[in-house]
Amino acid sequence: MHISQPDSVVETVSATVGDFLKSPQVLIGGQSSGAVSGATYPVSNPATGEVLAHVPSCDAADVDRAVKAAAAAFEGPWSRMLPVQRQALMLKLADLIEANGEELAQLETLNQGKSIMLSRLIEVQSSAEYFRYMAGAATKIEGTTLDVSIAIPPGMRYQAQTRKEPVGVVAAITPWNFPLNMASWKIAPALAAGCTVVLKPAEETPLTSIRLVELCREAGFPEGVVNVVTGMGETAGAALVAHPGVAKITFTGSTETGKLIGVQAMKDMKRVTLELGGKAPMIMFDDMDLELLGAAAGIGVFFNTGQTCCAGTRIYIQKGIYEKALDVITNVTRSLSIGSGLDPRNHINPVVSAKHQAHVKACIARGIDEGATPLLGASAPDKGFFVAPELFTDVRQDMALMQDEVFGPVVTISPFEDPDEAVRLANDTRYGLGASIWTNDLNKVMRYVPKIQAGTVWVNSHNIPDQNMPFGGFKQSGIGREHGSRALENYLETKSVCIAYR
Ligand code: NAD
């Protein structure tokens, strides 16, 4: 089922999706099964609130099986494969993702709630491209030769080199906002480096991760190279992080969980990469191109219904354009249609779960209690987990609305006069993932980009990632970087080899 038109409406969900939903299974050592305990839990369709499927609720016993399968594959067939063979398998997987693209996209939209257009273009297309990009990296891993000056005992000479070796079994733990894409960001570089993987998707959105690992099997990866366990973070996730057979943890999720995982990882000195929360500022200068405001709001803020770690949820606008820009952003936000992700004409889709809907609504209520002014007060459909977008003005820097991650369609808008003051306000957060500045003045770009504390700073755009562009956080937004050659390093150890000769 290839994707033909990314913006076509899903009138009828595909029969293969319906079949898959009857009994999704985990995949360990190439075998599909339920949890050892037989337990399952329900996952929902956020657009309706109805149960979509029951998936295995894994615990430590399943995790142990999965890590052992991954360790056996790492020691066995996977370690004997040539880089070019790993590359070929990854390219085959990318083709299979595309070939099953419409099915994967529908599954993602049904489970996560997002627009089918985002599912097709980001979850599917960009994930396939990610595997292709990283497939190329598999054949380009290189160490160095080193001149050394040691001469002990006298007369002995040495020659040194570095080897890059796969770190071992990787625990990949992913969030619910971009399930298939986040899994790809982790599995692709791990495989390119020669590691094996146990994937633990977010409990809310496990379905496309299961399908991805099924496609790995179909592509011909040896048994146990990629495994998936589904279940709760506190059980399956915690057991995976603590398992002695895991060499490396790669985690994307909240800062709160990231800190727990970081502490646990250090107990065993496991390698760890943490991609965490954000509260990205957008700084809009008087001289910006006002025609960009629509895209700033649409892509920078409300993309994926605000459930993006880099979403520009704190907008600072210089006084000269404040009234005009506020007007445009308010009108753009008012014009966004709310509804099911299966119809790509809907810009605002449900948030992922009833729990998250309650959280976003509580953030809005708290903002009002704290004295901020809501500009829209719009209502959302009753059925499903919808929240209408909201803009707030009169927001002080110390309010929760300004400091805490909402992870939904909620934005603060504040005026500023002095650019240095704007940068100070933008940096006044514990997070540091993304930021943007909007100006036509090159001098401002050169002056202020270095002052912004964020892993990515966009200029006249926001929220645009690329597989070749390092991505990660300053401050409490994480440790390490994904994408590009840096991502591969996350999954490699450096070994110095020192050879004596006479
Ligand atoms: P979360 O931290 O609740 O869960 C993330 C994953 O961790 C899930 O798979 C969950 O099951 C697992 N988990 C939970 N507790 C665990 C534990 N004790 N041990 C091991 N695993 C555990 O995050 P979420 O709500 O799924 O995702 C939203 C968060 O992710 C937001 O904070 C968002 O900013 C962040 N995020 C960051 C990036 C980035 O690249 N920096 C990208 C996307 C999302």
Side-chain angles (χ1 to χ4, degrees), residues 386-436:
F386 291 92
V387 183
E390 188 56 280
L391 306 174
F392 278 96
T393 54
D394 305 313
V395 190
R396 288 193 322 272
Q397 279 294 123
D398 62 348
M399 288 182 183
L401 201 54
M402 190 68 94
Q403 294 295 332
D404 296 341
E405 198 178 28
V406 177
F407 220 57
V410 180
V411 183
T412 68
I413 304 182
S414 316
F416 71 90
E417 211 151 356
D418 170 38
D420 289 316
E421 172 69 355
V423 171
R424 192 188 67 71
L425 296 173
N427 288 337
D428 177 24
T429 164
R430 61 184 175 281
Y431 296 112
L433 192 59
S436 58

Side-chain angles (χ1 to χ4, degrees), residues 172-178 182 185-186 200-205 231-242 249 251-258 260-261 264 274-279 307-310 352 355-356 405 407 431 433 471-473 477-478 482:
I173 302 179
T174 51
W176 47 255
N177 64 335
F178 284 94
M182 293 292 126
W185 285 15
K186 300 189 177 315
K200 208 304 275 174
E203 44 268 50
E204 296 86 348
T205 53
M232 302 304 127
E234 299 75 19
T235 41
L240 185 57
V241 168
I249 301 159
F251 171 79
T252 298
S254 62
T255 294
E256 201 185 2
T257 309
L260 287 177
I261 289 177
Q264 180 63 41
L274 302 171
E275 296 285 358
L276 309 177
K279 191 78 182 168
Q307 300 165 112
T308 313
C309 47
C310 278
V352 73
K355 184 174 157 209
H356 193 56
E405 198 178 28
F407 220 57
Y431 296 112
L433 192 59
F471 183 78
S477 287
E482 295 191 295

Side-chain angles (χ1 to χ4, degrees), residues 130-152:
Y130 210 78
F131 277 100
R132 291 202 180 99
Y133 176 90
M134 284 295 169
T139 50
K140 290 157 198 74
I141 296 168
E142 54 184 36
T144 47
T145 55
L146 306 161
D147 285 342
V148 290
S149 307
I150 334 159
I152 305 170

Side-chain angles (χ1 to χ4, degrees), residues 66-111:
V67 175
K68 284 182 175 149
F74 181 72
E75 296 297 333
W78 193 235
S79 68
R80 291 191 288 274
M81 282 205 165
L82 298 172
V84 75
Q85 292 173 305
R86 295 205 302 275
Q87 180 182 51
L89 284 169
M90 292 174 70
L91 292 172
K92 179 84 193 297
L93 177 61
D95 290 346
L96 283 173
I97 291 172
E98 275 178 351
N100 292 271
E102 181 60 22
E103 175 209 6
L104 284 164
Q106 290 184 10
L107 202 53
E108 198 74 288
T109 290
L110 287 173
N111 188 190

